[in-house]
Amino acid sequence: TRSFTDPSVSMDLLRAVLQPSINEEIRGIFNKYMKFFQTAAINVRDNVGEEVDPEQLIQETCRSCLEQAKLLFSDGKKVIPRLPHEQAVPKRARQMDEELSRRGSPVPKKRKGRPPGQSLSNDRGVSGMAAWKLKVSEPVKRDGPKWDPSRLTETTTFVLGSRANKALGMGGTRGRLYIKHPHLFKYAADPQDKHWLTEQQHMRAIGGKMAYLLIEEDIRDLAASEDYRDSVDLRLEELKPFVPPAWMTEKMQKHMETLRRGGDVPPPEDPPE
């Protein structure tokens, strides 16, 4: 039995009390850089294909950041393995890493605010990060009435994904809507679809860039939800809904049915952006 006078036990008790506050500050740091991770993950998905899960990429990148941050507290004996692409780091960069390692743990500055919790029951450890808005990647559930292909009729109205982003106040971050709401039905327009959309002046000619179509009703339901209805950035006039021709609606019905069954959908013929 280890005594509470054991130095390692004493330090771990202190660590347990401080852990919730530490987790909260770490979360704030990652939120600061999240827009960069989100943009990069969306670009990777657009370049590689729909089989790429942007949320999973972001999770892996965040974990990698935490692993590399351990170098700040390395005792010089244990070597933290580097990723393959980091093996050829320039000599100067390696020297800087080693210098940081030799400095050891920095002295924390005193900060004002609510003191950390006083109970060991607050020791959530890693589970404290569970409240983070980025959740562990889960399979996207495609069932229920919103995923019934029969809801797509010749009078169903659609909107462009870029306009839906703007309407919900996400215009500054391309693709953010798809990360935040992965359960939304979206259809990647093929060259034939984009030709019609351009002819009807629903969009400009965009070359090889991806163009997604979403169901107007789904976006308006989101806008009426608790997350958006009181937002000052809500701009529903940006939606500009339209009714596609029957042949395009039929393709979207087949696309929805394929996704609902868990099948893979071939990428559009145009090269990704």
Side-chain angles (χ1 to χ4, degrees):
T1 303
R2 302 179 70 183
S3 168
F4 279 98
T5 59
D6 186 320
S8 61
V9 172
S10 299
M11 292 303 294
D12 196 57
L13 288 172
L14 174 61
R15 191 273 316 158
V17 172
L18 297 177
Q19 192 69 52
S21 295
I22 293 172
N23 286 351
E24 196 65 31
E25 293 193 30
I26 291 174
R27 182 188 308 164
I29 292 172
F30 274 93
N31 284 341
K32 177 181 177 182
Y33 295 97
M34 196 52 56
K35 60 182 178 181
F36 301 109
F37 293 156
Q38 289 175 337
T39 301
I42 286 294
N43 286 337
V44 171
R45 195 272 309 280
D46 287 349
N47 282 303
V48 176
E50 287 294 319
E51 67 275 10
V52 173
D53 185 343
E55 189 172 336
Q56 183 177 354
L57 284 180
I58 294 172
Q59 287 282 326
E60 292 172 352
T61 302
C62 292
R63 285 195 293 267
S64 179
C65 287
L66 291 172
E67 286 297 321
Q68 290 304 308
K70 291 180 182 179
L71 288 170
L72 295 171
F73 306 97
S74 173
D75 58 7
K77 298 176 183 179
K78 298 179 181 179
V79 179
I80 298 176
R82 294 178 178 273
L83 298 175
H85 67 275
E86 295 178 310
Q87 298 296 337
V89 176
K91 183 177 180 181
R92 177 59 182 162
R94 289 199 303 271
Q95 290 175 342
M96 291 178 66
D97 273 351
E98 293 168 359
E99 177 64 24
L100 287 172
S101 298
R102 285 197 297 269
R103 291 180 185 178
S105 176
V107 178
K109 295 181 180 180
K110 293 183 179 179
R111 56 190 297 270
K112 296 180 180 180
R114 188 176 62 182
Q118 301 299 316
S119 171
L120 291 181
S121 62
N122 286 333
D123 181 21
R124 295 186 296 256
V126 177
S127 64
M129 298 295 280
W132 200 0
K133 64 181 178 181
L134 286 179
K135 299 178 181 178
V136 176
S137 180
E138 299 175 351
V140 177
K141 295 180 180 178
R142 298 183 173 107
D143 51 20
K146 285 188 177 294
W147 282 88
D148 182 357
S150 64
R151 72 181 291 225
L152 305 185
T153 68
E154 294 184 3
T155 59
T156 302
T157 50
F158 289 82
V159 297
L160 291 173
S162 56
R163 290 194 176 279
N165 264 283
K166 291 180 181 178
L168 294 176
M170 304 182 194
T173 306
R174 180 175 175 269
R176 182 179 168 194
L177 174 64
Y178 314 131
I179 291 180
K180 190 172 182 181
H181 303 287
H183 297 86
L184 276 180
F185 169 73
K186 68 179 186 295
Y187 168 77
D190 63 23
Q192 182 187 23
D193 305 326
K194 286 193 280 189
H195 179 71
W196 181 87
L197 290 166
T198 304
E199 273 194 337
Q200 300 299 315
Q201 299 183 345
H202 294 304
M203 60 181 278
R204 292 175 294 179
I206 56 175
K209 294 183 180 180
M210 302 288 284
Y212 289 108
L213 303 185
L214 298 95
I215 303 170
E216 181 193 10
E217 180 186 10
D218 291 350
I219 303 305
R220 291 194 178 276
D221 285 347
L222 274 181
S225 68
E226 186 177 350
D227 290 339
Y228 296 97
R229 62 188 175 212
D230 296 324
S231 172
V232 296
D233 297 320
L234 205 60
R235 299 285 186 273
L236 293 183
E237 67 275 8
E238 291 282 351
L239 287 178
K240 311 293 185 189
F242 58 87
V243 177
W247 53 264
M248 191 186 300
T249 301
E250 184 178 346
K251 284 196 289 187
M252 287 190 276
Q253 286 176 330
K254 293 179 179 178
H255 180 77
M256 179 181 283
E257 180 64 31
T258 302
L259 290 176
R260 189 175 69 157
R261 293 176 180 271
D264 294 327
V265 178
E269 296 176 19
D270 278 357
E273 183 184 11

